[in-house]
């Protein structure tokens, strides 16, 4: 793919590949390119996937993998140009069927979340999609929304999280785990588990320093996740942590 920033990626467990979408190569113009990285041992290679229809160029979008439908879900982002961001609130899904990948736009009843980038987005075990926080020209956001699949409708929801963007999150243990993020004044180190309805704060004697833009990835062991890097008040970080959910 070449250099990219503010892109998104998910792991496709059925095809054992990583899917990378969007981003920017020069921190100005954005792209709508989709790349697949084969992760099978001995066959590691990049392939660009072409589409007649796509969400359009964007960066800083929010992405989740929906294991129920075997799709990558994309919400919002910064369209066209990072230096003159056009914030979006559209919802797209990429069917990851190998050799037949297809983009489709999702629309629903009710008022959708406002335009934003860098929100936390995760798919619940029942296939519903949760959107929390993010950032747009008006500032940092704390509102939360659920897209109910069966009703095809957006509904507002309550969370205990403060306004923030740029947190780390990943599907986990019949829900999702969320860590950190930042607002205009501070970086955060709080950690939460949620099934999209209930939120439980995870407190440990030893926790990572407050940060944003870090990454949570599964270790391959049940309910265990790696956390690496991020940005803190002191700059970029290179530390490495393991989170074990009880």
């Amino acid at each position: 793919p070449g250099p990219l920033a503010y892109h998104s990626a998910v792991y496709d467990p059925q095809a054992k590949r990583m899917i990378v979408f969007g981003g920017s190569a020069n921190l100005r113009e954005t792209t709508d390119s989709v790349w697949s990285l084969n992760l099978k041992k001995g066959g590691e290679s990049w392939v660009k996937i072409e589409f007649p229809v796509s969400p359009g160029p964007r960066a800083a979008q929010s992405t989740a993998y929906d294991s129920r439908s075997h799709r990558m879900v994309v919400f919002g982002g910064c369209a066209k140009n990072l230096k003159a961001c056009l914030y979006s609130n559209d919802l797209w899904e990429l069917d990851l069927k190998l050799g037949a990948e297809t983009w489709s736009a999702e629309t629903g009843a009710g008022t959708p979340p406002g335009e934003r980038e860098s929100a936390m987005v995760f798919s619940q075990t029942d296939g519903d999609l949760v959107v929390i926080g993010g950032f747009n020209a008006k500032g940092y956001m704390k509102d939360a929304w659920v897209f109910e699949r069966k009703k095809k409708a957006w509904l507002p929801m309550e969370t205990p999280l403060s306004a923030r963007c740029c947190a780390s999150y990943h599907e986990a243990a019949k829900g999702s785990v969320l860590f950190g993020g930042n607002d205009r004044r501070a970086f955060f180190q709080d950690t939460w588990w949620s099934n999209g309805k209930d939120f439980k704060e995870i407190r440990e004697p030893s926790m990572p320093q407050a940060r944003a833009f870090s990454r949570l990835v599964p270790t391959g062991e049940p309910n265990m996740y790696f956390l690496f890097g991020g940005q803190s008040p002191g700059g970029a970080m290179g530390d490495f942590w393991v989170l074990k959910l009880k």
Side-chain angles (χ1 to χ4, degrees), residues 77-214:
C78 184
K80 296 186 178 179
N81 194 306
L82 282 172
K83 298 299 183 182
C85 182
L86 178 62
Y87 296 101
S88 59
N89 66 344
D90 50 351
L91 178 63
W92 286 76
E93 293 186 341
L94 176 60
D95 187 333
L96 294 175
K97 183 178 180 181
L98 189 62
E101 296 88 347
T102 307
W103 281 110
S104 59
E106 278 282 2
T107 57
T111 302
E115 294 86 356
R116 68 193 68 196
E117 62 164 88
S118 303
M120 293 171 284
V121 172
F122 57 92
S123 180
Q124 298 177 206
T125 53
D126 59 5
D128 290 351
L129 186 75
V130 175
V131 175
I132 304 175
F135 177 85
N136 63 20
K138 296 180 180 179
Y140 294 86
M141 313 169 82
K142 68 168 295 182
D143 58 333
W145 300 78
V146 60
F147 182 73
E148 294 192 355
R149 296 280 185 182
K150 291 181 179 179
K151 296 180 180 179
K152 291 285 185 179
W154 284 105
L155 296 171
M157 59 182 290
E158 296 293 328
T159 82
L161 278 71
S162 60
R164 70 186 67 193
C165 78
C166 313
S168 305
Y169 53 92
H170 202 282
E171 184 177 330
K174 298 183 179 180
S176 286
V177 60
L178 307 94
F179 170 77
N182 71 288
D183 63 13
R184 194 175 304 278
R185 299 177 300 277
F187 290 83
F188 305 113
Q189 66 173 160
D190 50 341
T191 306
W192 297 82
W193 172 89
S194 175
N195 60 7
K197 299 179 178 65
D198 302 312
F199 286 79
K200 179 182 178 181
E201 187 170 8
I202 301 170
R203 298 178 183 270
E204 298 289 342
S206 179
M207 296 184 66
Q209 180 182 337
R211 69 191 69 194
F213 300 106
S214 58

Side-chain angles (χ1 to χ4, degrees), residues 1-4 7-10 12 17-23 31-38 45-51 72 94 96 101 103:
L4 275 178
H7 53 287
S8 56
V10 300
D12 174 1
R17 58 180 177 166
M18 179 174 70
I19 302 294
V20 177
F21 167 64
T31 179
D32 65 349
S33 62
V34 176
W35 289 83
S36 169
L37 174 60
N38 183 2
S45 59
W46 285 102
V47 175
K48 187 177 184 181
I49 308 174
E50 303 287 354
F51 297 92
M72 180 175 75
L94 176 60
L96 294 175
E101 296 88 347
W103 281 110

